[in-house]
Amino acid sequence: MTALYRKYRPQDFDEVVGQEAVVRTLSNAITHGQVRQAYLFAGPRGTGKTSLARILAKSLNCVQGPTVTPDKTCHVCQAIAAGNSLDVVEMDAASQRGIDDIREMRERVVLQPVEGHFKVYILDEAHQITDAAWNALLKLIEEPPPHLVFIFCTTELSKVIPTVRSRCQVFAFARPRLPELVQVLEHVCKAEEIEAPGPALALIARAARGSFRDAVSLLDQLSSATEHKLSVQAVLQLLGVIEEDALFRLIDLVVAGDPAGALVAIEELSSQGQDLGRLIGDLLEHLRY
């Protein structure tokens, strides 16, 4: 069976949640024929960088395209979605990061697209490419053939050398807000007929710590454990997260200047078997939200 996070990856711009600025800019570029030759998608893991790279590739190569609304049914769109398109090449820079890999790629990119309009190279974990390999790629990024588009995805923008960053359009992917994570979980629950109250989904969203992929993966795990019937208590028990009421109570005691009460509350959580290291993480996330 396909994991839920793969099954429910966004397939077009309309399905992308939480990255409105990125979607708007890319849509305008396609509409006005101002697609650039190199893009750099940077942001925390699980925020949709690779998914949006595939959507961009689909929009550029769709039989109806370039278009901001790929039909998702033509053979090109389906090949890209399945990961076997000849014109959209995904590379894992964590394992293909050396100068020999880049030289080999440079020999291939000059070939014309087989069935689409563009040859699109998506390089994931781009920060792991070596400096020597980046330097070998610089000229190609700066003066690529007209049919070539690079999309680099990274979780660590600072590790991408400045000369590469200056030659790319850089997009910063933000962590999704709690309501946006809950929105995605509600969509998956409805499609998969999973019974889950709002507070249980909020707990899952909080435990995902700003990652769409982690949120849907946790939902997948919990729905299997509870036979598609989630409850707040089941989520608390299976994930080991701290109940939101306990976090509110602890913050109230701190604000009230009651250290003794706060220590008693922490002792109660400890006696219930809660991980105090997890408590600190949940507390920080709670305050951030």
Side-chain angles (χ1 to χ4, degrees):
M1 290 180 65
T2 305
L4 291 185
Y5 81 86
R6 291 182 59 195
K7 185 176 179 180
Y8 291 97
R9 288 183 105 153
Q11 298 299 318
D12 59 30
F13 287 123
D14 290 338
E15 294 180 12
V16 176
V17 177
Q19 307 298 344
E20 289 80 7
V22 180
V23 168
R24 184 170 60 251
T25 306
L26 292 175
S27 298
N28 289 340
I30 294 168
T31 301
H32 299 295
Q34 297 177 342
V35 176
R36 297 296 180 253
Q37 305 287 168
Y39 293 96
L40 180 54
F41 293 172
R45 63 186 181 84
T47 49
K49 298 183 295 298
T50 307
S51 294
L52 203 47
R54 290 178 181 174
I55 292 170
L56 177 57
K58 203 181 296 181
S59 297
L60 294 175
N61 281 337
C62 177
V63 170
Q64 310 295 330
T67 173
V68 294
T69 54
D71 59 23
K72 297 184 287 187
T73 57
C74 68
H75 64 284
V76 175
C77 286
Q78 290 184 342
I80 294 171
N84 53 28
S85 169
L86 296 174
D87 293 329
V88 180
V89 180
E90 290 192 39
M91 296 175 61
D92 177 18
S95 57
Q96 296 170 289
R97 59 196 293 267
I99 193 166
D100 291 337
D101 298 304
I102 298 302
R103 283 174 178 159
E104 184 182 338
M105 183 181 73
R106 284 175 56 185
E107 294 172 2
R108 295 198 306 265
V109 297
V110 296
L111 300 175
Q112 290 291 323
V114 177
E115 52 188 2
H117 309 285
F118 292 89
K119 200 87 173 178
V120 181
Y121 274 78
I122 301 171
L123 279 76
D124 213 357
E125 303 297 332
H127 58 275
Q128 302 215 33
I129 297 175
T130 64
D131 288 357
W134 274 126
N135 288 325
L137 197 55
L138 269 179
K139 192 66 175 175
L140 191 59
I141 296 174
E142 191 168 28
E143 298 177 5
H147 63 267
L148 179 63
V149 174
F150 281 114
I151 307 174
F152 304 107
C153 302
T154 179
T155 54
E156 299 185 54
L157 180 60
S158 61
K159 290 187 177 181
V160 178
I161 61 176
T163 48
V164 171
R165 295 205 300 266
S166 67
R167 288 164 170 79
C168 300
Q169 272 201 356
V170 181
F171 290 91
F173 281 62
R175 285 183 183 275
R177 298 182 292 273
L178 196 63
E180 292 167 342
L181 286 167
V182 172
Q183 176 187 338
V184 170
L185 292 174
E186 286 174 342
H187 168 70
V188 176
C189 285
K190 184 176 180 181
E192 293 292 317
E193 298 182 348
I194 299 172
E195 295 179 20
L201 295 181
L203 283 171
I204 295 172
R206 181 155 59 83
R209 302 190 186 283
S211 168
F212 286 116
R213 182 171 59 239
D214 288 359
V216 178
S217 293
L218 286 172
L219 176 66
D220 195 358
Q221 174 188 340
L222 292 166
S223 64
S224 298
T226 59
E227 297 182 345
H228 281 43
K229 293 183 180 179
L230 295 182
S231 66
V232 171
Q233 206 55 44
V235 173
L236 289 170
Q237 181 181 3
L238 291 168
L239 292 185
V241 295
I242 312 296
E243 197 168 7
E244 199 166 49
D245 287 347
L247 297 175
F248 273 119
R249 188 168 68 252
L250 190 53
I251 294 299
D252 287 342
L253 290 167
V254 173
V255 172
D258 183 3
L263 288 171
V264 169
I266 292 170
E267 176 58 30
E268 288 174 0
L269 291 171
S270 178
S271 65
Q272 293 167 11
Q274 297 288 358
D275 180 354
L276 296 185
R278 180 64 182 263
L279 169 62
I280 293 170
D282 284 352
L283 200 55
L284 289 172
E285 201 76 12
H286 176 73
L287 288 166
R288 186 176 294 115
Y289 286 130

